[in-house]
């Protein structure tokens, strides 16, 4: 008899302790019987459907400037990163050779003038004079050439991006590729190789959005060239994108991501892709209750999608916590 009473009391105590533990767990977890969700407001806006490619952007106007003659670099008037205008002085070569040629020219000129007087007085024949005149013209041309090229000026406006030689080093006009590179950063272009499955979606004039890692700015461009034939080796089609770089944030030979816009719709309802469930359903938050909606979809991209029917401007669309949600479930917005 006492054993049965003891067992009964023990069971009652276990039940009471379990109920207290459950109350503690519920109190600690804050469970309210509602599903926590995140929402966004459906808004009227613009959406683009695009092809994603990557490549390098490059300046349209580049000058690899070089002196027309060889010589030791006496003075560099610019450094990498400097901005220059057309005809700004860039470099001056050593004048030793120029000075030697000047002396030769002055001597040749004196001899030439003297021979002119002798020819006028018939003291020399015409053949002798012609030989002197030819030698004079050769020295004169050489001197004028060196005079014009001992200093090199900027052929274009832009930014000095590379200097091939330093002061004191010799520049060889026959062997060195160039001395100073100048890049005009106003206009850029991107060259892409497009697959044959995408080429029919592209044409000249289509817009493109260009992004790079050194800025969050987006650059607008347009398709300026579409090749009518594929390259023999790769089977891809070369295209070019013209890009406006008014902000001067793009850099020559910089890696870029390029979205080629194939479709664009404005004045339409746009919501995030993660709100779409089972191909054509979403949940909206309505006074603490999840309401299931079937929607008609339009164009989309990896981030957003157009809603043609089923969602109104200003409605709260659930984007997180919607997996496993049921129509009529209680929800609590935790953005």
């Amino acid at each position: 008899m006492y054993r049965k009473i003891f067992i009964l009391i023990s069971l009652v105590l276990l039940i009471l302790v379990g109920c207290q533990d459950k109350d503690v767990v519920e109190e600690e977890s804050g469970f309210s019987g509602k599903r926590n969700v995140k929402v966004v407001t459906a808004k009227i806006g613009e959406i683009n459907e695009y092809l994603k490619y990557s490549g390098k952007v490059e300046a349209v106007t580049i000058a690899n400037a070089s002196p027309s003659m060889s010589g030791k670099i006496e003075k560099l008037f610019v450094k990498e990163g400097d901005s220059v205008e057309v005809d700004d002085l860039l470099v001056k070569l050593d004048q030793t050779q120029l000075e030697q040629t000047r002396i030769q020219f002055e001597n040749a000129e004196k001899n030439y003038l003297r021979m002119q007087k002798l020819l006028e007085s018939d003291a020399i024949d015409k053949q002798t004079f012609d030989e002197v005149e030819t030698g004079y013209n050769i020295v004169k041309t050489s001197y004028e050439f060196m005079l014009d090229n001992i200093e090199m000026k900027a052929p274009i406006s832009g930014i000095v991006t590379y200097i091939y030689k330093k002061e004191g080093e010799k520049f060889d006009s026959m062997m060195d590729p160039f001395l100073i590179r100048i890049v005009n950063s106003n206009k850029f272009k991107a060259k892409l190789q497009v697959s044959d499955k995408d080429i029919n979606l592209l044409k000249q004039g289509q817009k493109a959005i260009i992004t790079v890692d050194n800025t969050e700015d987006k650059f607008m461009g347009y398709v300026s060239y579409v090749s009518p034939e594929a390259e023999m080796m790769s089977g891809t089609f070369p295209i070019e994108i013209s890009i406006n770089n008014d902000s001067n944030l793009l850099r020559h030979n910089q890696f870029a991501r390029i979205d080629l816009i194939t479709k664009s719709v404005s004045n339409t309802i746009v919501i995030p892709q993660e709100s779409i469930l089972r191909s054509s359903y979403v949940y909206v938050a309505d006074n603490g209750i999840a309401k299931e909606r079937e929607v008609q979809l339009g164009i989309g991209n990896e981030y957003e999608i157009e809603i043609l029917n089923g969602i109104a401007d200003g409605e709260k669309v659930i984007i997180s916590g919607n997996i496993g949600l049921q129509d009529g479930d209680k929800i609590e917005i935790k953005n």
Side-chain angles (χ1 to χ4, degrees):
M1 180 66 178
Y2 290 108
R3 184 181 178 186
K4 291 182 178 179
I5 293 174
F6 177 77
I7 293 173
L8 182 60
I9 293 172
S10 298
L11 290 173
V12 171
L13 290 173
L14 288 172
I15 292 172
L16 290 174
V17 171
C19 290
Q20 290 176 352
D21 290 343
K22 182 179 179 182
D23 291 341
V24 170
V25 171
E26 289 187 355
E27 184 177 349
E28 289 178 350
S29 65
F31 179 71
S32 62
K34 299 178 182 180
R35 173 75 71 88
N36 292 337
V37 299
K38 292 183 179 180
V39 301
V40 296
T41 302
K43 294 182 178 180
I44 294 178
E46 181 179 358
I47 186 170
N48 296 315
E49 196 167 80
Y50 47 76
L51 302 172
K52 296 186 73 67
Y53 279 87
S54 60
K56 286 185 176 181
V57 294
E58 58 186 63
V60 173
T61 305
I62 303 170
N64 290 329
S66 300
S68 297
M69 55 181 281
S70 300
K72 181 181 177 182
I73 299 171
E74 181 178 288
K75 180 68 176 178
L76 286 169
F77 294 93
V78 293
K79 61 183 182 298
E80 292 176 1
D82 284 352
S83 295
V84 297
E85 300 294 330
V86 174
D87 289 335
D88 281 355
L89 184 60
L90 301 179
V91 65
K92 184 177 182 180
L93 298 180
D94 180 70
Q95 299 189 63
T96 302
Q97 188 177 354
L98 174 65
E99 185 64 19
Q100 293 172 350
T101 307
R102 182 186 67 80
I103 294 172
Q104 293 175 2
F105 166 69
E106 290 177 351
N107 291 334
E109 186 176 41
K110 291 177 182 177
N111 188 43
Y112 171 69
L113 295 175
R114 184 170 62 85
M115 289 297 178
Q116 272 189 326
K117 293 180 179 180
L118 292 176
L119 179 65
E120 291 171 359
S121 62
D122 294 326
I124 59 171
D125 57 51
K126 185 67 168 58
Q127 183 178 354
T128 301
F129 175 79
D130 289 343
E131 291 174 355
V132 172
E133 185 179 43
T134 299
Y136 164 72
N137 287 332
I138 292 173
V139 174
K140 180 184 177 183
T141 301
S142 178
Y143 174 65
E144 290 176 345
F145 173 79
M146 294 183 69
L147 195 63
D148 291 339
N149 291 279
I150 201 73
E151 296 179 342
M152 185 182 76
K153 298 180 179 180
I156 64 170
S157 298
I159 298 173
V160 176
T161 62
Y162 190 78
I163 299 177
Y164 191 72
K165 290 289 183 74
K166 300 176 182 178
E167 284 185 5
E169 295 181 335
K170 182 179 179 181
F171 175 78
D172 190 328
S173 60
M174 299 297 291
M175 300 297 294
D176 294 330
F178 63 92
L179 182 55
I180 295 176
R181 174 178 290 146
I182 302 172
V183 173
N184 186 300
S185 59
N186 292 335
K187 294 291 184 180
F188 269 63
K189 64 181 177 181
K191 295 181 179 180
L192 306 177
Q193 299 295 125
V194 175
S195 66
D196 54 356
K197 70 181 180 65
D198 292 337
I199 193 63
N200 288 340
L201 300 174
L202 300 175
K203 60 183 179 181
Q204 287 187 359
Q206 279 180 277
K207 292 181 180 180
I209 300 174
I210 297 89
T211 56
V212 291
D213 288 336
N214 67 312
T215 176
E216 294 182 356
D217 289 4
K218 294 183 178 181
F219 301 86
M220 297 305 299
Y222 64 92
V223 178
S224 56
Y225 171 74
V226 178
S227 176
E229 65 176 5
E231 290 187 347
M232 184 176 298
M233 297 298 294
S234 66
T236 56
F237 292 80
I239 72 167
E240 286 190 10
I241 311 297
S242 292
I243 310 166
N244 198 333
N245 187 37
D246 289 339
S247 61
N248 287 325
L249 292 173
L250 291 179
R251 298 290 182 262
H252 183 56
N253 285 332
Q254 183 176 20
F255 176 82
R257 292 168 294 277
I258 300 157
D259 297 337
L260 301 168
I261 298 174
T262 55
K263 292 181 182 178
S264 184
V265 179
S266 58
N267 197 33
T268 189
I269 297 292
V270 179
I271 63 174
Q273 282 280 10
E274 58 262 40
S275 62
I276 305 297
L277 300 172
R278 305 193 310 278
S279 300
S280 60
Y281 288 88
V282 301
Y283 283 98
V284 297
D286 185 5
N287 293 321
I289 302 296
K291 297 292 183 69
E292 186 181 69
R293 297 275 183 85
E294 185 174 9
V295 293
Q296 182 182 356
L297 306 178
I299 70 170
N301 53 53
E302 60 183 320
Y303 304 111
E304 299 174 318
I305 193 161
E306 177 191 14
I307 302 297
L308 300 176
N309 191 23
I311 298 292
D313 181 30
E315 287 195 288
K316 304 294 184 182
V317 178
I318 298 174
I319 61 170
S320 178
N322 51 355
I323 304 299
L325 200 61
Q326 299 292 324
D327 185 48
D329 282 354
K330 294 180 180 180
I331 57 173
E332 185 170 353
I333 297 173
K334 295 285 187 179
N335 278 16

